[in-house]
Amino acid sequence: MGLGMMAQGKQQHNGQATGLREALGFIPNLCTGYALLLLILAAELLSVLLVVANSGLRDLRWAELGLVSFLVQWVVLSSASILCYLQSYLARLGPMRAGLISYAIVLVVTMICSLGGQWLLRDIGKLAIDWWQVASHLVIAAVLAGIILRYLYLQQQLQKQQQAELRARIQALQSRIEPHFLFNSMNSIASLIAVDPQLAERQVEDLSDLMRASLAEVGLIPAARELQLCRSYLHIQQARLGQRLQVNWQVQPLPEALLLPNLLLQPLVENAIKYGVEPDPQGGQVTVQADIRAEVLELVVINSLPVSDINQPSAGNQMALENIHHRLAAHYGVAASLAVDNKTDQFKVSVTIELTACLAQSRPRQS
């Protein structure tokens, strides 16, 4: 699938450079606002369940529901706060030790909250500690905590597996080079050595630049660097195709802090030549556009189509677009999108990325 794929050498993943969200630790990160909202909703549903199971729906008393909800919310939120604070420590432990510590924390918090609740209610009839009630709370917490912690652990393992597969997929997409391109480039260089040594030298430099980028770690690079790699690829193809390949650059100045996935544009340009220019005896034109509009980065690659191929994109082209789509989703999530327009005599691929997402990737991530 182009230079976006090179099957040589072993590469190590750089977590900060890729921008992928790591799944670390025994359970998912409980320090986010989204996790806090889910915990509050889950605690409230659990409170309703406990009250209904105890007194029935017909005899449901709102005062009892309020007291149970107050106790459950304190247990859930306090346990989550402690687990959030200890997240880095638990991540360094094995699953068994981390699970036992998390389980013990929930039980200790439950006992403290149960005793604290009885202490708060001592002025309305509770003069002594009801240890049976504390024991009941602990039994309920023990059962529910075991189930919930086990569920969170399995969810975390699934997320880790998915992210590992995603990293492996991105590495595969970026770590191979199409043999035909390499052979054609080498043949072109060999034929130019005697005719035009300077152009042959430039071809070697461009090819070396592309090979170096293909062998680099999976990650994000400055937008200017990505555009330069695209130019290097087009220099090689122009030397091979001559006047049959016309290139139209429409690139506006981009912020230096703007980062893009390594070799994002090159596969799109490669497919534009392979499926749009090469099949046409008269050749064709490839247009590369880069601009920022309304706080959105827009990258566009347009190529002319042979008459026989209009509105009939090849399977190889679709595979490349799918790979680019997966890479964008991995790095930017919903902040990036890919669109295709092939309703005319041109094939147009548009990549849009929210500018804040591009710039946010350039800031160091905290471990």
Side-chain angles (χ1 to χ4, degrees):
M1 219 30 32
L3 259 176
M5 317 180 133
M6 175 126 208
Q8 301 183 26
K10 294 183 179 180
Q11 304 174 354
Q12 295 181 345
H13 173 67
N14 187 330
Q16 291 183 349
T18 59
L20 295 176
R21 295 179 292 274
E22 294 285 352
L24 297 176
F26 173 74
I27 57 177
N29 184 9
L30 301 178
C31 305
T32 65
Y34 179 72
L36 179 63
L37 177 61
L38 290 182
L39 288 173
I40 292 174
L41 292 176
E44 199 59 37
L45 291 175
L46 177 59
S47 302
V48 174
L49 177 63
L50 292 174
V51 173
V52 171
N54 180 55
S55 58
L57 187 60
R58 183 175 60 182
D59 298 327
L60 177 66
R61 292 175 295 175
W62 292 105
E64 181 183 2
L65 177 60
L67 290 174
V68 172
S69 176
F70 180 78
L71 174 62
V72 173
Q73 291 286 0
W74 265 101
V75 171
V76 170
L77 296 181
S78 299
S79 300
S81 300
I82 297 173
L83 292 176
C84 176
Y85 179 78
L86 297 176
Q87 180 178 359
S88 299
Y89 169 74
L90 294 175
R92 296 192 296 267
L93 303 177
M96 180 64 70
R97 293 182 61 188
L100 291 175
I101 292 176
S102 301
Y103 191 66
I105 287 174
V106 175
L107 295 182
V108 171
V109 170
T110 300
M111 185 177 67
I112 293 174
C113 290
S114 179
L115 293 172
Q118 292 192 35
W119 179 78
L120 290 174
L121 295 173
R122 69 187 188 283
D123 293 333
I124 53 176
K126 286 190 176 293
L127 302 178
I129 295 177
D130 186 348
W131 290 104
W132 283 109
Q133 186 180 65
V134 174
S136 299
H137 292 164
L138 286 175
V139 170
I140 295 174
V143 174
L144 294 178
I147 296 174
I148 294 174
L149 287 175
R150 177 62 178 174
Y151 170 77
L152 292 177
Y153 171 73
L154 293 178
Q155 284 291 103
Q156 186 73 336
Q157 296 307 304
L158 177 61
Q159 186 178 2
K160 286 182 179 181
Q161 180 180 355
Q162 290 175 341
Q163 291 188 346
E165 293 174 354
L166 183 58
R167 288 196 297 269
R169 180 180 178 85
I170 292 177
Q171 279 188 324
L173 295 180
Q174 185 182 308
S175 65
R176 282 198 234 147
I177 184 171
E178 186 169 310
H180 292 298
F181 168 72
L182 180 59
F183 296 150
N184 290 337
S185 300
M186 297 300 292
N187 290 334
S188 176
I189 293 172
S191 64
L192 286 172
I193 291 177
V195 179
D196 193 341
Q198 291 185 346
L199 181 56
E201 181 180 355
R202 179 179 176 182
Q203 292 278 85
V204 171
E205 292 175 351
D206 289 333
L207 183 60
S208 299
D209 203 23
L210 288 168
M211 294 291 290
R212 188 180 301 109
S214 182
L215 289 171
E217 287 186 344
V218 179
L220 300 173
I221 61 175
R225 170 63 176 162
E226 175 62 21
L227 290 171
Q228 180 57 43
L229 291 172
C230 192
R231 290 180 186 272
S232 297
Y233 178 80
L234 286 171
H235 288 160
I236 295 174
Q237 294 289 37
Q238 280 185 308
R240 184 173 66 89
L241 297 173
Q243 294 300 318
R244 292 182 57 207
L245 173 60
Q246 302 297 321
V247 181
N248 180 17
W249 288 92
Q250 300 178 11
V251 177
Q252 303 300 319
L254 301 177
E256 294 182 1
L258 195 65
L259 298 184
L260 295 174
N262 191 18
L263 295 176
L264 173 70
L265 286 175
Q266 182 276 329
L268 299 179
V269 174
E270 178 177 352
N271 281 340
I273 296 174
K274 185 175 182 179
Y275 302 110
V277 178
E278 287 185 342
D280 194 334
Q282 304 300 321
Q285 184 181 72
V286 175
T287 301
V288 180
Q289 300 175 347
D291 196 7
I292 295 177
R293 300 176 183 177
E295 298 301 313
V296 174
L297 172 65
E298 185 174 7
L299 305 170
V300 180
V301 176
I302 306 173
N303 64 271
S304 57
L305 286 174
V307 176
S308 60
D309 290 344
I310 293 178
N311 296 328
Q312 297 181 8
S314 69
N317 203 354
Q318 292 299 310
M319 187 180 299
L321 296 176
E322 181 182 356
N323 290 338
I324 296 296
H325 174 75
H326 284 299
R327 293 185 65 192
L328 289 172
H331 287 290
Y332 304 111
V334 296
S337 63
L338 184 146
V340 175
D341 181 6
N342 62 324
K343 297 180 180 180
T344 65
D345 60 345
Q346 293 180 329
F347 191 84
K348 177 181 178 181
V349 182
S350 302
V351 175
T352 57
I353 309 172
E354 294 179 10
L355 190 60
T356 53
C358 298
L359 297 176
Q361 299 291 345
S362 66
R363 294 195 292 267
R365 289 176 173 268
Q366 300 201 1
S367 57

